[in-house]
Amino acid sequence: MEASVEQLVYVREDEYTIARMSAEGMPGFVASGRALGGVQPGETLRLIGGWGEHPRHGRRFEVTACERLVPATVRAIRIYLGSGLIRGIGPRLAHAIVSHFGETTLTVIDTEPERLTEVVNIGPARQAQIADAWQEQKAIAELMVTLQGFGISPLLAARIYQVFGAESGDILTCDPYRLIGKVRGIAFATADRIALRSGVSESSPQRIKAAILDRLETAAGRDGHCYVRLVALVTQSAELVEQDHDLVRRALDALVADRRVVVEVSPDDRGQAVVYLKETHSRELTLTAQLTRLIQATSTLPMRAFQEDPGLDEDQRAAVNMALTSTVSIITGGPGCGKSHTVRTIAATAKAMGGSVTLTAPTGKAAKRLSELTGMPAMTVHRMLAHQPDPDSGALFEQTPAQADLIVVDEASMLDLHLATRLTAVIPVGSHLLIVGDSDQLPSIAPGSVLADLLRVEEIARIRLTRVFRQAEGSGIIRAAHRIRAGEVPPTPGGGGFWFEEVDDPEQVAERVMHLATVAIPRKQGVSPDQVQVLCPMRRGLTGTAEIGRMIQERLNPAREGVAEHWSGASVFRVGDRVMPIRNNYDKGVFNGDTGTVTAITPEERLVEIRTDDGQIVKYGFGELDELTHTYAISVHRSQGSEYPFVVAPLVTESGGVMLRRKLLYTLITRARSWVVVVGERKALETAVQRLGHRRNTGLARRLALSLGTVLTGD
């Protein structure tokens, strides 16, 4: 049958879709199936399938195949144009356009777009916007057809077009390997399938080079490695493309000649050859040079006598003296050990001595928390860097936060190689850099392990605070965290802020987590559900962020009749949703880890409006929504630097429990301020405590030790 898509009801990550449809003589019915993956409201489809009966939801058309059609009837054209698929046209304007042009409407828009000005309220600017949007939608539709021909999800078409624009079709058919790493959802396997079906040889140097780069980028993105051992890289790449090692070595040599990768001998790996992506290698060298410059500089911080805080213990007093006398220093330690009070004292003392101070952290929430704990303004590292003037602008460097005599970077376990390189580049010689963090927390999401690497370099001044202060001793969260850090399973079910609830079935775990977060804890504690954060070790599966987040969204912010919503892939955006950028966007002024609320969805403009927690209004196009994630349930990694009144977390061995690690569990526990409730299998809890995880492959510590003429600790 031929039918129009009225509304998407449900979209799963494997593209299984449920949609409300309408057809001639059938004003409303439900269709479902994976063949509907990627369809949008307003589209006209030819459906192939049969009627079935769902045990809970009744009669529906089960689709086995579908084909996109150009809407032919006046009604179908009106639905199509009024759906928001074409930017600049909403329901009212769609009615006016179709009333004027009738069944020729789409032909006019395609071949004579200048005639749109015949319609009331369409001037030259709106006409040009509609014409451009029509061509964009046509290009995306063509990409969808091409992708389906390769057996690839049509959902990727809009993402490809967002990145490559008018070049998308040529890249897809001539050089699909360029899509890897540029388009979310396209890894080597997807690009390779397109390439092979397009006639690329299995032994093509282009294909083997792409496989090598993919293995390096996967090691960086998945495991945080800066390099891969050459022998391992050759083996992994050969297995990926099922080709001889000799072919891979020749392709690797070509990449070295093209300066896309660097091969060097690493003392850290007992003299083995290792391979870096060129950009990563350059950053390691640059960061080493910049840190050496800062460490060896003569301090410019005014030194005057200062009165010691009698409330500090011996280690804290030593930390204050260290930060005020060493140009680069580190304070580390677990929760409740007085890091924040020590930093507050250091900052206040530096100011009292006539120095200037800048407090920073990698994320907005971490910066806000630092400000609350110290009573001083704090900003994200990204915002500090955004204050840097253009070298050619003539702006005074003294006007920037990085010119301060003392720069404090809190939550430094989150510092990745790229951010640390940018940070140290703007700090002037003689300023003091104080790095504060808990080395037992998870490392950064991006490649590198900066805090851990710096702690291995003996020349760098550091103090670990170990004493748990009396006011923190009564916290069950802090007691549990220190037990986990020591490799001991905390007492269960627990108490005083930490609680473990044993449930073995993953589906029941998800249901219980959702109930605790939306009903039980808010009711018992007298708080809104916004005060409860769900943290998940994994993204996929029954207890992952995607599924539990969807369940909580449907409980707290379900679809409402007549209220606009927009599906982007398997995520639906609604007014009132809490969201978080997952990429830095300097043009919009938002950064990874900021949070905000969806305040408006405008289908005719294809825009979602966000109000960030600091009051900034930001607009995202429908094609940019993969830069946002909902915060109903987030990964433990994305929670770093944040603190929540109440935390609920699933912990299961689903999918082998590959993410269960001590640092992950420790980070999860320490995100809660009042209570953390962990729901799941006791075996999963024990596994997480026992597994240490891997050390990231980085060369920073060794390079820095050589540069400073010192030795490494912890080898």
Side-chain angles (χ1 to χ4, degrees):
M1 70 174 79
E2 290 185 13
S4 296
V5 183
E6 299 279 353
Q7 181 186 10
L8 297 180
V9 178
Y10 176 79
V11 181
R12 209 163 56 196
E13 290 206 338
D14 65 357
E15 298 177 33
Y16 177 82
T17 300
I18 301 174
R20 289 194 178 94
M21 314 285 292
S22 63
E24 290 295 329
M26 299 178 63
F29 68 95
V30 173
S32 64
R34 290 185 63 185
L36 292 174
V39 303
Q40 291 291 318
E43 289 189 306
T44 298
L45 309 173
R46 177 178 289 121
L47 305 178
I48 298 172
W51 290 100
E53 192 75 20
H54 190 277
R56 286 178 58 191
H57 303 295
R59 191 167 183 254
R60 62 174 56 173
F61 191 77
E62 296 170 354
V63 182
T64 56
C66 81
E67 176 188 353
R68 287 172 169 80
L69 303 175
V70 177
T73 67
V74 168
R75 179 178 180 277
I77 294 170
R78 187 180 292 117
I79 292 173
Y80 178 69
L81 291 181
S83 67
L85 270 173
I86 308 301
R87 188 173 58 255
I89 303 179
R92 289 185 180 180
L93 193 54
H95 187 275
I97 293 171
V98 176
S99 296
H100 186 79
F101 294 113
E103 292 182 356
T104 66
T105 295
L106 299 185
T107 302
V108 169
I109 296 174
D110 189 36
T111 61
E112 301 176 278
E114 65 279 358
R115 288 189 59 197
L116 287 170
T117 55
E118 297 173 15
V119 179
V120 177
N121 293 329
I122 298 183
R126 177 59 64 91
Q127 177 267 320
Q129 179 189 28
I130 292 171
D132 289 346
W134 173 261
Q135 294 303 321
E136 178 180 314
Q137 191 58 35
K138 268 185 67 178
I140 291 172
E142 290 169 4
L143 284 176
M144 285 182 166
V145 172
T146 304
L147 287 170
Q148 285 177 313
F150 289 124
I152 306 296
S153 167
L155 286 172
L156 296 170
R159 297 180 194 168
I160 294 171
Y161 193 87
Q162 184 71 25
V163 176
F164 293 104
E167 290 184 280
S168 299
D170 290 340
I171 289 172
L172 193 62
T173 53
C174 300
D175 191 7
Y177 296 113
R178 282 183 62 189
L179 303 172
I180 301 171
K182 301 289 193 302
V183 179
R184 187 173 65 89
I186 297 186
F188 178 82
T190 301
D192 195 44
R193 189 189 313 172
I194 297 171
L196 292 176
R197 292 192 181 186
S198 299
V200 172
S201 166
E202 291 186 358
S203 59
S204 160
Q206 174 196 25
R207 179 175 184 247
I208 299 173
K209 287 179 187 178
I212 293 169
L213 294 173
D214 175 75
R215 292 300 83 196
L216 286 169
E217 287 162 357
T218 298
R222 184 188 63 200
D223 300 319
H225 293 316
C226 292
Y227 65 77
V228 177
R229 295 174 185 87
L230 186 146
V231 172
L233 178 63
V234 170
T235 300
Q236 292 166 12
S237 303
E239 289 174 352
L240 188 60
V241 294
E242 298 181 336
Q243 298 296 315
D244 292 337
H245 285 209
D246 288 344
L247 281 177
V248 175
R249 289 299 299 262
R250 286 201 289 273
L252 180 59
D253 290 342
L255 287 171
V256 172
D258 293 341
R259 297 186 176 181
R260 299 181 69 183
V261 304
V262 174
V263 177
E264 68 176 25
V265 175
S266 170
D268 253 358
D269 280 284
R270 301 175 183 84
Q272 292 188 54
V274 300
V275 186
Y276 284 83
L277 288 167
K278 179 65 169 67
E279 188 177 64
T280 305
H281 186 261
S282 296
R283 283 176 182 159
E284 258 195 13
L285 292 176
T286 302
L287 180 56
T288 300
Q290 289 169 179
L291 283 168
T292 301
R293 169 180 61 88
L294 295 175
I295 292 166
Q296 294 179 338
T298 300
S299 171
T300 58
L301 179 68
M303 283 304 295
R304 301 173 187 167
F306 61 90
Q307 188 173 359
E308 291 187 346
D309 184 341
L312 300 180
D313 70 4
E314 183 179 348
D315 284 345
Q316 288 177 306
R317 287 195 294 273
V320 173
N321 184 67
M322 172 191 71
L324 298 176
T325 56
S326 301
T327 50
V328 175
S329 58
I330 304 171
I331 296 175
T332 186
C337 292
K339 294 193 300 298
S340 299
H341 183 56
T342 306
V343 170
R344 182 168 63 241
T345 303
I346 292 168
T349 303
K351 283 193 169 186
M353 295 192 319
S356 55
V357 178
T358 296
L359 302 181
T360 71
T363 67
K365 284 200 170 182
K368 183 179 180 181
R369 187 176 168 213
L370 177 61
S371 180
E372 291 169 351
L373 291 170
T374 60
M376 300 180 186
M379 67 180 72
T380 65
V381 176
H382 296 290
R383 293 195 188 282
M384 186 190 83
L385 294 170
H387 279 76
Q388 301 309 312
D390 186 321
D392 300 322
S393 69
L396 294 176
F397 192 61
E398 288 78 11
Q399 295 176 347
T400 69
Q403 178 65 19
D405 297 301
L406 171 66
I407 296 165
V408 179
V409 182
D410 197 16
E411 295 289 352
S413 61
M414 301 171 65
L415 273 182
D416 59 73
L417 180 64
H418 176 53
L419 187 58
T421 304
R422 293 191 62 216
L423 169 69
T424 54
V426 301
I427 299 175
V429 171
S431 289
H432 287 225
L433 173 61
L434 173 60
I435 298 167
V436 183
D438 185 346
S439 57
D440 293 306
Q441 299 272 359
L442 282 169
S444 59
I445 295 176
S449 188
V450 175
L451 177 60
D453 283 347
L454 297 187
L455 285 169
R456 295 177 61 206
V457 182
E458 197 172 78
E459 180 75 9
I460 299 176
R462 89 287 305 278
I463 284 179
R464 175 180 285 276
L465 302 178
T466 56
R467 176 188 166 194
V468 178
F469 284 84
R470 185 175 302 167
Q471 60 267 31
E473 287 178 343
S475 166
I477 294 171
I478 290 177
R479 289 198 304 271
H482 283 279
R483 288 283 295 263
I484 291 166
R485 179 179 172 273
E488 301 171 5
V489 176
T492 57
F498 169 79
W499 188 265
F500 177 75
E501 187 171 316
E502 189 167 358
V503 180
D504 289 336
D505 178 69
E507 190 170 348
Q508 292 178 11
V509 169
E511 288 285 347
R512 182 59 177 159
V513 166
M514 188 268 290
H515 180 75
L516 284 165
T518 60
V519 179
I521 292 176
R523 181 187 296 158
K524 184 169 183 177
Q525 300 294 332
V527 298
S528 74
D530 289 345
Q531 299 294 299
V532 186
Q533 181 63 57
V534 173
L535 302 180
C536 303
M538 299 183 294
R539 193 177 77 82
R540 299 182 183 277
L542 292 172
T543 59
T545 57
E547 192 57 35
I548 292 183
R550 184 199 300 276
M551 293 166 65
I552 295 174
Q553 182 188 35
E554 290 306 313
R555 173 67 64 89
L556 299 180
N557 194 24
R560 286 163 286 170
E561 190 72 32
V563 178
E565 64 178 32
H566 179 73
W567 283 86
S568 175
S571 299
V572 60
F573 289 84
R574 298 172 180 143
V575 172
D577 281 342
R578 293 283 295 163
V579 294
M580 169 193 295
I582 57 174
R583 297 192 194 116
N584 299 326
N585 190 316
Y586 293 92
D587 293 334
K588 297 182 189 297
V590 295
F591 302 102
N592 188 353
D594 290 348
T595 50
T597 303
V598 176
T599 51
I601 297 175
T602 316
E604 58 267 32
E605 299 300 327
R606 296 183 65 76
L607 289 174
V608 173
E609 180 184 276
I610 312 294
R611 179 185 291 273
T612 65
D613 289 349
D614 59 7
Q616 180 183 0
I617 299 297
V618 184
K619 294 183 178 180
Y620 282 83
F622 283 0
E624 300 175 300
L625 292 178
D626 62 348
E627 293 186 19
L628 296 174
T629 187
H630 292 83
T631 64
Y632 294 108
I634 62 174
S635 69
V636 179
H637 259 110
R638 296 212 178 278
S639 74
Q640 283 179 270
S642 299
E643 187 179 71
Y644 311 96
F646 305 94
V647 167
V648 184
L651 207 66
V652 299
T653 54
E654 184 183 12
S655 302
V658 292
M659 293 300 294
L660 299 180
R661 297 288 188 272
R662 185 182 299 174
K663 284 192 174 186
L664 182 139
L665 181 61
Y666 177 85
T667 303
L668 186 162
I669 297 294
T670 55
R671 296 310 89 203
R673 186 162 61 244
S674 299
W675 272 93
V676 57
V677 181
V678 178
V679 181
E681 304 166 59
R682 181 169 181 83
K683 180 183 177 183
L685 179 66
E686 293 170 349
T687 298
V689 170
Q690 291 161 6
R691 280 187 185 163
L692 291 177
H694 63 271
R695 176 188 278 182
R696 292 184 169 186
N697 293 341
T698 70
L700 177 63
R702 181 70 64 181
R703 295 185 200 281
L704 200 50
L706 290 171
S707 177
L708 295 170
T710 188
V711 297
L712 292 181
T713 60
D715 278 341

